[in-house]
Amino acid sequence: MIVETHSAEETFELGRKIGQQARPGQIYTLVGDLGVGKTVFTQGVASGLDIREPISSPTFTIIQIYEEGRMPFYHFDVYRIGDIEEMEEIGYDDYFFGEGICLIEWANLIEEILPDHIIAVTIEKDLKKGFDYRKIILEGIETV
C-alpha cells in the first residue's frame, strides 16, 4: 500500500491511525533517509497508542520504552549500532516477542535478526512534488 502525505500533520495522522490499529507482538520496521519524517511518524504511532509523553529518537540509547499507553511501545533506533551483538546485549528478543509493539528505525541495518512477519514502512521524499511531500510505502498491512 502506498500513502502520500503533504504535511508533517498528515504523516503524524497516518502514524496515529496505525498506532490505533496496532496489536501486541507487531513489529514495524521504519526506513528512510535522515530528515524524511521518521520521528514525526513515530510520534503519531505513539499517539495512537494513547502515549502522551514526548517521543524523541533514541539514537544514543538504541531503545526507548513507553509503558503508559494501552500497550508497551518499544522504540528502537539502530542507526549507530556497531554489530548485531549490541542488539543481543540489550535483549532485543524480549521486546520483539513481548506484550507490546516494536518500531525499529533504520531496521535495514539489522535485517538478519528480524522475524519473518513484520510491517515494513518506508518513507521517501520527492522535492519535485513539494518540500513536505512524503511517499509512505506500507508492506504487511492491509488497510489504514
Side-chain angles (χ1 to χ4, degrees):
M1 168 188 325
I2 295 175
V3 178
E4 296 178 308
T5 65
H6 298 89
S7 68
E9 293 80 16
E10 287 181 11
T11 300
F12 178 94
E13 183 61 22
L14 176 62
R16 190 181 68 74
K17 287 178 182 176
I18 287 173
Q20 288 174 330
Q21 296 174 12
R23 295 184 316 276
Q26 289 181 318
I27 297 174
Y28 296 81
T29 61
L30 184 53
V31 176
D33 292 336
L34 288 170
V36 80
K38 293 184 300 293
T39 300
V40 169
F41 178 86
T42 301
Q43 290 168 338
V45 171
S47 176
L49 293 170
D50 298 325
I51 295 169
R52 300 292 169 237
E53 65 184 283
I55 305 295
S56 59
S57 187
T59 300
F60 296 103
T61 58
I62 300 178
I63 185 172
Q64 290 280 24
I65 301 168
Y66 303 93
E67 298 189 69
E68 72 173 35
R70 62 182 178 84
M71 74 180 87
F73 179 44
Y74 310 120
H75 179 203
F76 290 82
D77 183 329
V78 298
Y79 182 73
R80 298 194 191 290
I81 198 161
D83 60 47
I84 294 303
E85 288 180 17
E86 289 181 57
M87 291 296 290
E88 292 171 2
E89 289 170 11
I90 64 168
Y92 76 90
D93 50 348
D94 291 338
Y95 303 107
F96 282 17
F97 305 105
E99 296 298 314
I101 70 161
C102 293
L103 187 145
I104 308 162
E105 294 188 41
W106 301 99
N108 53 307
L109 301 175
I110 61 164
E111 286 177 332
E112 61 266 29
I113 64 169
L114 293 174
D116 291 335
H117 301 288
I118 61 169
I119 298 168
V121 180
T122 304
I123 303 177
E124 300 173 350
K125 290 195 263 188
D126 184 347
L127 293 177
K128 293 179 206 147
K129 294 187 177 187
F131 181 77
D132 291 324
Y133 171 85
R134 299 295 184 266
K135 176 180 172 183
I136 302 172
I137 304 160
L138 303 161
E139 299 174 76
I141 191 170
E142 298 297 318
T143 63
V144 180

